[in-house]
Amino acid sequence: MVAACQDPRIEELRGATAQLHRRLAAHRTDFPDRAVAEEELAALGAMAREGTPDQGRLRRSLLVVAASLGSVSALATELTRLRAAVELFDTGAPG
C-alpha cells in the first residue's frame, strides 16, 4: 500500500519554487529587485509547505517574482515552470 500521497500540484509548486530559487542564487549578476524576488520565492515555498495555498496569493506572488526578475532571460525556463505550477491551482473562477 502506498503511503499518504501529497497533492501533485503542491509537489510541483515546491519543485518549481526550489529550482528557481537555486538558479537565482547561482545567477551572479545583480539587479535592482533581486531581494524582492528572493523574498517572494521564500513566501511561495512557505505556502507550498503549509498545504494548499490560496489561489489569489499564488497569482500575486507569481506576478511579483516575474516583475522582480524583469528581463533576466537566464531564468526564463525556471520562471515558466513556476508559472505552470501556479496555474495548476487555477479553478477557473475570476479573481
Side-chain angles (χ1 to χ4, degrees), residues 22-90:
R22 283 190 305 270
R23 288 278 290 137
L24 180 57
H27 189 72
R28 297 296 177 205
T29 304
D30 201 19
F31 49 93
D33 292 328
R34 181 185 195 110
V36 173
E38 290 170 343
E39 288 173 15
E40 208 60 40
L41 283 171
L44 279 165
M47 283 187 271
R49 284 189 301 276
E50 293 170 1
T52 305
D54 175 71
Q55 182 183 0
R57 178 70 173 110
L58 280 176
R59 280 195 242 141
R60 179 194 170 282
S61 292
L62 175 63
L63 288 173
V64 170
V65 170
S68 298
L69 295 179
S71 62
V72 183
S73 61
L75 304 174
T77 299
E78 291 79 9
L79 185 57
T80 299
R81 180 180 175 197
L82 180 62
R83 178 180 176 217
V86 168
E87 287 176 352
L88 292 173
F89 292 89
D90 187 5

